[in-house]
């Protein structure tokens, strides 16, 4: 059923960081987000894995493209206004 599918998605998405969660929620691949943002796929992957931190300018760009707050991308807090 649709509700059990949603529950499974929530369980799967809980382990993701803010960027990866927002990207997947928007239905985008890393390649698509890279193309939209002008960043490399490698950079998107490194940000999502926590291997590299994006600049504040990049955070602002990605947040705008994904429709989330800067704070959500930084710390995964949906209520963050940063």
């Amino acid at each position: 059923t649709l509700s059990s599918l949603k529950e499974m998605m929530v369980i799967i998405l809980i382990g993701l960081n803010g960027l990866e969660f927002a990207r997947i929620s928007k239905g985008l691949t890393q390649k698509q987000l890279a193309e939209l943002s002008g960043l490399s796929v490698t950079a998107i992957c490194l940000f999502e894995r926590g291997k590299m931190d994006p600049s504040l300018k990049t955070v602002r760009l990605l947040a705008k493209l994904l429709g989330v707050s800067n704070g959500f991308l930084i710390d995964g807090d949906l209520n963050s206004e940063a």
Side-chain angles (χ1 to χ4, degrees):
T1 67
L2 185 57
S3 92
S4 63
L5 179 59
K6 286 181 182 179
E7 289 171 10
M8 286 188 343
M9 287 297 295
V10 167
I11 291 167
I12 292 168
L13 295 175
I14 285 174
L16 307 180
N17 71 17
L19 175 58
E20 193 171 10
F21 181 91
R23 175 182 60 77
I24 291 170
S25 294
K26 288 287 185 181
L28 296 172
T29 64
Q30 288 179 340
K31 182 179 179 182
Q32 289 169 323
L33 182 57
E35 290 170 354
L36 286 170
S37 64
L39 300 168
S40 70
V41 174
T42 300
I44 299 295
C45 182
L46 291 172
F47 297 153
E48 289 185 354
R49 299 290 169 248
K51 303 290 185 186
M52 185 170 77
D53 292 325
S55 68
L56 183 55
K57 180 180 176 181
T58 298
V59 169
R60 288 179 178 149
L61 170 66
L62 293 171
K64 184 176 179 180
L65 289 171
L66 296 169
V68 297
S69 70
N70 297 339
F72 180 76
L73 291 187
I74 294 166
D75 62 21
D77 183 359
L78 283 171
N79 298 313
S80 179
E81 296 296 325

